């Protein structure tokens, strides 16, 4: 569904992503794991159109989407749940969800119901200011807001960051459920253990290069991965 060929991204003189190629097949959960600074966020930002690749192509099905604006990429069906969630703190939960649908002009009722069915906690807090939600609830809202664009592919940047283990477990259950309902997932994580447990396909990213590929299970059982990422 999504194909990345020889993607390179530089920031000034710094090569953050040094020519990576991988695929995200339809309906799979694909994860990129790697240490802080490996280039995970940069990869997602390039796919989302937020940074311009120095080289390489990004295809969604047969279409070359390299260099399209972020809005165009959202309208093609690719959405990003950014690191740190970035909900609008002074707006209500419902207002935040509606912002996720800003490119659409059709009826949102069904989608709001969909998100509230996935996250009953958000429904209860519909009129609450997003800034007063707990970290886990804000992560749910960031996911819900992304779903409001009706994505084919949802990319997630470290959804577990700064959350308690039990809350992380809940978020990962929901990611699996969203995937089961037909949304393809590209997940990047420093929390390799959780990510590998739900991934169909997994890659290791090391200082801008992909160094390993396998099923989630294969990488969970790989000695080098255990040593470097599963501590
Ligand atoms: N806006 C930026 N300007 C300059 N360098 C950056 C910028 N964003 C990231 N980098 C650098 O690019 C490399 C990859 O960063 P990043 O993609 O954020 O890694 P990760 O998400 O895996 O932690 C790092 O060396 C980081 O310092
Ligand atoms: Mg990052």
């Amino acid at each position: 569904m999504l194909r990345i060929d020889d993607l390179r991204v530089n920031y000034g003189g710094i090569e953050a992503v040094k020519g990576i190629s991988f695929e995200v097949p339809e309906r799979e959960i694909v994860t990129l794991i790697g240490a802080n600074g490996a280039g995970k966020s940069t990869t997602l930002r390039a796919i989302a159109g937020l940074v311009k690749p120095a080289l390489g192509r990004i295809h969604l099905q047969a279409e070359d989407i390299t260099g399209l604006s972020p809005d165009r990429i959202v309208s093609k069906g690719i959405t990003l749940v950014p690191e740190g969630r970035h909900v609008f703190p002074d707006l209500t939960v419902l207002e935040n969800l509606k912002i996720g649908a800003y490119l659409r002009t059709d009826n949102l009722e069904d989608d709001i119901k969909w998100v509230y069915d996935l996250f009953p906690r958000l429904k209860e807090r519909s009129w609450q200011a997003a800034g007063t939600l707990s970290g886990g609830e804000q992560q749910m809202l960031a996911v819900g807001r992304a779903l409001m664009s009706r994505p084919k592919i949802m990319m997630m940047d470290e959804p577990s960051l700064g959350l308690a283990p039990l809350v992380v477990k809940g978020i990962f259950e929901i990611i699996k459920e969203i995937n089961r309902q037909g949304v393809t997932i590209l997940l990047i994580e420093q929390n390799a253990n959780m990510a590998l447990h739900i991934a169909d396909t997994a890659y290791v990213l090391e200082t801008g290069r992909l160094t390993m590929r396998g099923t989630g299970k294969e990488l969970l059982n790989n000695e080098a991965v255990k040593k470097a990422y599963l501590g």
Side-chain angles (χ1 to χ4, degrees), residues 13 47 51 89 108 192 220:
I47 297 169
V51 293
L108 305 180
L220 270 175

Side-chain angles (χ1 to χ4, degrees), residues 21-220:
S21 302
F22 66 98
E23 283 179 25
V24 183
E26 191 166 0
R27 288 181 172 260
E28 276 201 11
I29 298 179
V30 174
T31 188
L32 265 51
I33 60 168
N36 198 10
K40 302 182 302 296
S41 295
T42 302
T43 302
L44 294 197
R45 291 170 58 79
I47 297 169
L50 297 166
V51 293
K52 220 176 140 49
L55 210 73
R57 306 311 310 174
I58 300 163
H59 283 87
L60 178 64
Q61 276 137 348
E63 188 180 0
D64 189 340
I65 59 165
T66 322
L68 294 186
S69 70
D71 280 6
R72 295 273 293 151
I73 289 174
V74 171
S75 65
K76 298 279 176 198
I78 303 179
T79 184
L80 171 65
V81 184
E83 182 178 343
R85 351 241 202 246
H86 298 289
V87 299
F88 297 97
D90 298 330
L91 300 185
T92 67
V93 166
L94 184 60
E95 285 165 343
N96 269 274
L97 290 178
K98 286 181 176 168
I99 284 172
Y102 74 104
L103 290 172
R104 297 175 34 189
T105 50
D106 52 332
N107 197 325
L108 305 180
E109 292 300 311
D110 290 350
D111 299 315
I112 289 170
K113 183 174 181 311
W114 178 41
V115 171
Y116 281 166
D117 284 346
L118 284 166
F119 300 107
R121 289 274 278 270
L122 293 183
K123 186 175 185 181
E124 292 162 17
R125 290 162 175 75
S126 194
W127 305 105
Q128 194 172 321
T132 64
L133 299 174
S134 72
E137 290 161 359
Q138 289 190 20
Q139 183 64 62
M140 292 175 195
L141 180 55
V143 172
R145 185 180 57 189
L147 292 176
M148 289 299 292
S149 68
R150 277 274 170 202
K152 297 186 190 107
I153 303 179
M154 184 167 72
M155 304 195 291
M156 309 186 76
D157 192 341
E158 309 231 23
S160 75
L161 208 68
L163 300 180
L166 203 62
V167 177
V168 173
K169 204 159 166 272
I171 297 281
F172 274 68
E173 285 301 323
I174 290 283
I175 297 172
K176 274 202 304 200
E177 174 59 23
I178 291 166
N179 175 250
R180 209 187 54 73
Q181 293 188 20
V183 181
T184 303
I185 309 278
L186 174 56
L187 166 70
I188 67 172
E189 264 294 347
Q190 279 188 71
N191 187 338
N193 190 34
M194 290 298 286
L196 292 177
H197 269 101
I198 66 165
D200 298 298
T201 307
Y203 295 85
V204 175
L205 185 61
E206 278 177 42
T207 56
R209 291 195 172 86
L210 291 175
T211 54
M212 259 187 260
R213 174 187 194 277
T215 64
K217 209 172 192 174
E218 280 165 358
L219 293 201
L220 270 175

